[in-house]
Every structure is written in C-alpha cells, then in structure tokens.
C-alpha cells in the first residue's frame, strides 16, 4: 500500500528505472524505517519507476480507418474466390481471421490516415519520457508495422491469431500488465468502454456526445482529441484513394 501511495507523486514519468529503493526510502522516511528494494506487485513497481503508461488504441483512434476492413477488401480485389477461404477463417474465430487476412494483404503503414491531433499528443508525451503502449485488436503483424513506422511505442499488445484483443479481453490484458487504474487509455469507440472502466484516466478521440457521457460515467476524462478531416487532402487520405488506385 505504501508503494502504491508513491505513484501520485510522479504519476506520468515515475521515479526512474531502478530507483524504487531510493525513492521508497525518501517517501517512507517519516513513516517507517524499513527499507525495500521492490514493491509488493510488478504493476506497482512499474508504475513507481516508469510512471503510469499511456495505452493507445489503433483502428479509429490512431488512424481514422479500419485496417481489417481495408485489407479484406484488397484481398478480395486480388482474388475474389478468396471469399470462400475467408468464411472458413472466420469460422475459426476473429483472431484467426485477422491473422490470415494480414498474411494475404500487405499493410501500407506509411500511407495510413493517421490522426494529426493524436500523433502530436503522443509525440509530446514520448518526448517528455512517458512510456507508450500500442494495444489493439488488429493483428500483431499490422500493429508492429505501425509501431516500427512511428517509433513512439515501447510495447505492442495485439491480436495474435488466437486471442482477439478487444473490449474485455484487452481490459484483462492491461490490468494483468499494469493493474487496476494503472494506465491511461486513448480510445474512440463503445468497445473501449470496458477498458476505460479499469483505466486511471481516459483520452477520447472524436467521440459522439453519447460516448463521451458514457465514458465520463466510468472514468476521469483527461482530454478530448478531435481532428476530423477538414480539407480535400484529409478526406482523400482517409479514403486511402492511392491504395485503391494502386490495386485496380
């Protein structure tokens, strides 16, 4: 409990890797003479040393589009008969379906319609030393490509062909890694409500009024990011017109 009480003292950046013993000694100097070199749980240890991580969703949040839908359409354009295979894949679960689609249609991570406001926010947080985690229901292959392209994320959590990391599954994974209220979460849809229920704070991306009210009933909303396309170039990027033309 004493270790957990240290987190509000430096919630975003933490006290530094390997600094638990020294930080705890200073924190508990007026409370106890006992010395400890680690916390009672790994999530608390990570939060004390590294700060509360910022966890970011991908589809609809970091990018405007849905990668699975785009790749499925591209796969069908290349081979319409693959529709029968897709039915078989889907019968084996969404995670399996996503993995097979990712194998068939190469992701163009360079040309994705990234949300400018979200990217700028993440770049600012990363520059300040905050730990960023990409947590997405997209297949791990796609998630890693995006993470490698941006160079912002310390950790990538994604669907792996067996587990579809969405909603409750994502919440359980994050709580297991960082603890209840041990992370802040950036999301954009109703599927993210389950995750926000266990987050410390929420960042909402282009939410509807209803989604914002539901999120506010579950968690403290730190900020709202909304950068809907405002120019013709933005609209074309969101539509991925260059990708469609390339595959005609």
């Amino acid at each position: 409990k004493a270790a957990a009480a240290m987190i509000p003292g430096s919630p975003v950046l933490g006290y530094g890797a390997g600094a638990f013993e020294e930080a705890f000694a200073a924190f508990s100097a007026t409370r106890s003479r006992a010395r400890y070199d680690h916390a009672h749980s790994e999530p608390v240890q990570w939060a004390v040393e590294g700060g509360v991580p910022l966890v970011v969703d991908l589809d609809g949040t970091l990018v405007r589009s849905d990668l699975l839908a785009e790749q499925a359409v591209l796969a069908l354009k290349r081979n319409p008969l693959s529709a029968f295979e897709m039915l078989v894949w889907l019968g084996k679960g969404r995670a399996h379906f996503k993995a097979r689609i990712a194998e068939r249609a190469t992701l163009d991570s360079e040309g994705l319609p990234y949300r400018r406001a979200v990217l700028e926010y993440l770049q600012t947080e990363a520059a300040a030393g905050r730990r960023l985690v990409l947590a997405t229901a997209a297949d791990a292959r796609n998630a890693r490509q995006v993470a490698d392209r941006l160079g912002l994320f310390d950790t990538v959590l994604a669907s792996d062909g067996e587990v579809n990391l969405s909603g409750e599954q994502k919440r359980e994974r994050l709580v297991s890694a960082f603890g209840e209220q041990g992370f802040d979460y950036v999301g954009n849809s109703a599927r993210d409500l389950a995750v926000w229920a266990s987050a410390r704070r929420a960042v909402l991306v282009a939410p509807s009024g209803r989604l914002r009210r539901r999120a506010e009933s579950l968690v403290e909303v730190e900020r709202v990011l909304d950068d809907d396309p405002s120019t013709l170039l933005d609209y074309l990027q969101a539509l991925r017109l260059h990708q469609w033309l390339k595959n005609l």
Side-chain angles (χ1 to χ4, degrees):
K1 291 182 179 180
M6 297 170 62
I7 297 174
S10 185
V12 175
L13 301 181
Y15 294 88
F20 180 86
E21 183 174 7
E22 182 179 348
F24 184 81
F27 177 80
S28 61
T30 60
R31 300 171 175 80
S32 170
R33 294 183 179 180
R35 293 186 66 87
Y36 298 94
D37 60 4
H38 63 278
H40 62 285
S41 75
E42 286 190 356
V44 172
Q45 178 94 13
W46 293 335
V48 169
E49 294 189 350
V52 176
L54 181 64
V55 182
V56 186
D57 180 42
L58 178 55
D59 289 326
T61 299
L62 180 55
V63 299
R64 294 189 182 95
S65 58
D66 184 310
L67 302 188
L68 176 63
E70 285 196 17
Q71 288 183 297
V73 171
L74 290 177
L76 286 170
K77 286 174 71 68
R78 291 171 183 169
N79 180 13
L81 294 179
S82 64
F84 298 104
E85 286 184 301
M86 289 183 184
L87 291 175
V88 175
W89 299 341
L90 191 56
K92 296 181 179 180
R94 289 184 63 81
H96 179 82
F97 179 73
K98 291 176 180 180
R100 296 307 300 271
I101 290 293
E103 291 174 359
R104 291 293 181 90
T106 303
L107 178 69
D108 175 19
S109 59
E110 182 76 23
L112 289 175
Y114 295 101
R115 290 186 183 271
R116 288 195 301 269
V118 176
L119 265 184
E120 290 170 1
Y121 171 58
L122 298 183
Q123 289 165 348
T124 298
E125 293 295 294
R130 191 168 192 185
R131 186 167 38 140
L132 302 187
V133 178
L134 181 62
T136 173
D139 184 70
R141 180 177 305 193
N142 292 340
R144 285 192 294 268
Q145 286 185 41
V146 170
D148 290 344
R149 160 72 178 82
L150 297 179
L152 294 172
F153 298 100
D154 301 285
T155 304
V156 175
L157 305 175
S159 298
D160 59 5
E162 296 183 2
V163 176
N164 184 44
L165 202 68
S166 178
E168 186 62 27
Q169 294 275 19
K170 185 186 290 189
R171 186 198 71 79
E172 291 178 0
R173 181 75 175 275
L174 293 175
V175 169
S176 175
F178 308 117
E180 282 283 349
Q181 298 188 334
F183 60 93
D184 295 343
Y185 183 69
V186 186
N188 77 301
S189 73
R191 291 190 301 272
D192 297 315
L193 290 168
V195 183
W196 281 321
S198 290
R200 184 188 71 128
R201 291 178 181 168
V203 176
L204 311 185
V205 177
S208 65
R210 183 170 185 269
L211 179 63
R212 182 169 183 169
R213 289 190 295 273
R214 293 178 69 185
E216 289 173 339
S217 71
L218 296 172
V219 64
E220 177 185 346
V221 174
E222 179 179 324
R223 67 180 64 203
V224 175
L225 301 173
D226 193 347
D227 64 343
D228 288 336
S230 55
T231 69
L232 177 59
L233 179 61
D234 288 326
Y235 279 111
L236 292 178
Q237 185 181 34
L239 289 171
R240 306 292 307 283
L241 183 60
H242 71 288
Q243 188 68 35
W244 298 111
L245 292 175
K246 196 164 62 177
N247 289 277
L248 288 176

